[in-house]
C-alpha cells in the first residue's frame, strides 16, 4: 500500500513538472541567465532551516502574505520610508511575519552569481517551496519570471489577508476572491502543520470556545493565561511542529485546532469530509497542497516590462 501511494505521488509530481505553467511564467525562465539559481536558493534555505526549523514556516507564511496582497510581487518585502508606508506594519504582518533577513541573504548570493537578473518575487516563491520540502513536505514545479512591485499597499494587506478569527464562510469567500477553491483553501491551510502562533491570537479560543478538547485547552492555558503573555508561542500542530505532514488535520479531527479559523475547517461544515480524508491520507494532502501552491504562486504576477528586478529586496531601485 505504501509503495503504491509513493508511486502515485511520483506520477503526480512528474505530471506537474511537465505541465505548462499558467500565464507568462516558466520553470526554465532563468535556465540561461542564472542556471544555478535553484541550487543557490536550496542551499541557503537548508542552512536557514538547520539553524532554526521554525524559519521554514516563517518563509512559507511570508510567501502566502505576499501573494494574497496584489499578487506574488514581493511587495511585502519593501521597507517603510519617510514618504512610503508598505505592508510590513499592516495588522496581519506587524510583529508576526518574519524571515526577511533570510530572503536578503539569498538575494545577496543570487546577485553575486547573476547580477540584476532574478526578482525578489521569484526568490521568495522558490524559498517557500524549499521550506516545505526541507521539513519533509512535497516539492512542486515553480513557474518563474515574476518581476518586483515598485509599491505596496498597507490597506490591501489589512483587508485581504484572512484573519485567525474568521468563520468558514469568510475563509471560502476570501480565498474565492483570489480564484482559489474551497478545496485549495483547506489544502493551503495545512501549512499550519508547521509554525507557531502567539497567545494573543488564540487566547479567546482556548478560554471561550466549546468545540475544543478540554485537555488541549488546559495545556495551552499553562503558557497563555487569561491576562498577560500575549507574545508567548504555541505550536499550530503540537504533535510534529517542525515536520510538514498531515498532523494538522489530525489535530482538527481531535478538536485541537489552535486557531478559531483552523477549527472552522472541521466544525460541522462543508470541509469536514476533506479534513477527515487528509487526516487519514498524507499523500492526498501533499498532492493537493502542491497543486494549490502552484495556483497561489500564479496570482497576478508582474511580468514582461511591468515592475522591476530589485537589486535590494527592501527598496525600489
Amino acid at each position: 500500500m505504501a509503495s503504491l501511494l509513493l508511486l502515485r505521488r511520483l506520477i503526480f509530481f512528474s505530471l506537474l513538472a511537465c505541465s505548462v505553467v499558467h500565464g507568462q511564467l516558466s520553470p526554465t525562465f532563468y535556465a540561461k541567465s542564472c542556471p544555478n539559481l535553484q541550487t543557490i536558493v536550496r542551499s541557503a534555505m537548508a542552512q536557514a532551516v538547520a539553524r532554526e526549523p521554525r524559519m521554514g514556516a516563517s518563509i512559507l507564511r511570508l510567501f502566502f502574505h505576499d501573494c494574497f496582497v496584489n499578487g506574488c510581487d514581493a511587495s511585502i518585502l519593501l521597507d517603510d520610508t519617510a514618504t512610503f508606508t508598505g505592508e510590513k506594519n499592516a495588522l496581519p504582518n506587524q510583529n508576526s511575519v518574519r524571515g526577511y533577513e533570510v530572503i536578503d541573504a539569498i538575494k545577496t548570493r543570487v546577485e553575486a552569481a547573476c547580477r540584476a537578473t532574478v526578482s525578489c518575487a521569484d526568490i521568495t516563491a522558490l524559498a517557500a517551496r524549499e521550506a516545505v520540502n526541507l521539513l519533509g513536505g512535497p516539492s512542486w514545479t515553480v513557474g518563474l519570471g515574476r518581476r518586483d512591485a515598485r509599491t505596496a499597499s498597507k490597506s490591501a494587506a489589512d483587508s485581504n489577508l484572512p484573519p485567525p478569527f474568521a468563520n468558514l464562510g469568510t475563509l471560502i469567500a476570501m480565498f474565492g476572491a483570489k480564484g482559489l477553491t474551497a478545496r485549495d483553501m483547506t489544502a493551503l491551510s495545512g501549512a499550519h502543520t508547521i509554525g507557531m502562533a502567539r497567545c494573543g491570537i488564540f487566547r479567546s479560543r482556548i478560554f471561550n470556545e466549546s468545540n475544543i478538547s478540554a485537555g488541549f485547552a488546559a495545556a495551552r492555558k499553562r503558557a497563555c493565561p487569561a491576562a498577560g503573555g500575549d507574545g508567548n508561542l504555541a505550536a499550530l500542530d503540537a504533535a510534529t511542529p517542525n515536520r510538514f505532514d498531515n498532523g494538522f488535520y489530525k489535530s482538527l479531527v481531535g478538536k485541537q485546532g489552535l486557531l478559531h479559523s483552523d477549527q472552522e475547517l472541521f466544525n460541522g461544515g462543508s470541509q469536514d469530509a476533506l479534513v477527515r480524508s487528509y487526516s487519514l491520507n498524507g499523500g492526498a494532502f501533499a498532492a493537493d497542497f502542491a497543486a494549490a501552491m502552484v495556483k497561489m504562486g500564479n496570482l497576478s504576477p508582474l511580468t514582461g516590462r511591468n515592475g522591476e528586478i530589485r537589486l535590494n529586496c527592501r527598496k525600489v531601485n
Side-chain angles (χ1 to χ4, degrees):
M1 183 65 182
S3 60
L4 179 59
L5 179 59
L6 177 61
L7 179 59
R8 286 174 177 171
R9 290 179 66 182
L10 289 172
I11 291 172
F12 173 86
F13 293 122
S14 294
L15 290 172
L16 187 61
C18 294
S19 65
V20 177
V21 178
H22 299 152
Q24 301 177 55
L25 304 182
S26 166
T28 59
F29 187 84
Y30 300 108
K32 293 183 178 179
S33 60
C34 195
N36 295 324
L37 170 62
Q38 301 201 36
T39 300
I40 294 170
V41 175
R42 175 77 176 188
S43 175
M45 279 303 302
Q47 292 175 3
V49 171
R51 285 193 303 269
E52 183 188 4
R54 181 187 167 206
M55 189 54 70
S58 297
I59 294 299
L60 177 58
R61 187 163 182 264
L62 190 157
F63 180 57
F64 172 77
H65 280 226
D66 180 40
C67 290
F68 254 61
V69 182
N70 298 324
C72 309
D73 59 4
S75 57
I76 195 172
L77 303 178
L78 289 171
D79 284 341
D80 291 355
T81 69
T83 58
F84 168 80
T85 300
E87 297 165 20
K88 288 184 175 179
N89 287 308
L91 187 60
N93 296 333
Q94 190 175 32
N95 300 318
S96 177
V97 174
R98 59 198 290 270
Y100 300 113
E101 72 285 353
V102 173
I103 301 299
D104 290 340
I106 299 173
K107 177 65 170 175
T108 297
R109 295 189 190 187
V110 171
E111 284 295 306
C114 320
R115 174 73 174 168
T117 301
V118 181
S119 68
C120 300
D122 278 343
I123 287 172
T124 305
L126 288 169
R129 179 189 63 185
E130 300 308 331
V132 170
N133 188 241
L134 286 162
L135 293 177
S139 187
W140 56 90
T141 299
V142 176
L144 300 168
R146 299 170 190 81
R147 289 167 65 85
D148 299 322
R150 294 190 177 97
T151 187
S153 175
K154 180 179 180 295
S155 61
D158 282 328
S159 62
N160 288 0
L161 291 164
F165 49 81
N167 61 32
L168 181 59
T170 297
L171 292 170
I172 291 173
M174 293 186 81
F175 278 76
K178 304 298 179 183
L180 298 166
T181 67
R183 188 181 189 94
D184 294 330
M185 180 270 295
T186 299
L188 288 170
S189 296
H192 285 178
T193 194
I194 52 176
M196 315 281 280
R198 291 177 292 126
C199 166
I201 299 297
F202 62 82
R203 176 184 286 116
S204 179
R205 169 152 169 76
I206 64 174
F207 278 94
N208 301 323
E209 298 187 11
S210 59
N211 61 340
I212 188 169
S213 159
F216 175 76
R220 299 289 80 74
K221 288 175 183 177
R222 287 197 285 270
C224 183
D230 284 9
N232 293 350
L233 297 172
L236 291 161
D237 171 9
T240 54
N242 293 317
R243 178 76 182 173
F244 198 96
D245 56 20
N246 64 336
F248 169 73
Y249 301 100
K250 294 177 182 179
S251 71
L252 297 185
V253 172
K255 296 185 178 181
Q256 296 181 8
L258 187 63
L259 305 182
H260 175 87
S261 56
D262 286 343
Q263 194 62 55
E264 278 287 292
L265 302 178
F266 190 82
N267 193 33
S270 63
Q271 300 306 294
D272 281 18
L274 184 58
V275 168
R276 193 177 293 279
S277 174
Y278 287 160
S279 76
L280 298 171
N281 188 336
F285 160 56
D288 282 0
F289 181 83
M293 285 295 289
V294 171
K295 287 180 68 174
M296 189 177 76
N298 281 282
L299 290 178
S300 305
L302 296 173
T303 57
R305 299 192 178 191
N306 296 317
E308 64 182 16
I309 304 298
R310 281 187 228 141
L311 301 180
N312 180 333
C313 292
R314 293 176 179 265
K315 60 183 183 180
V316 298
N317 293 339

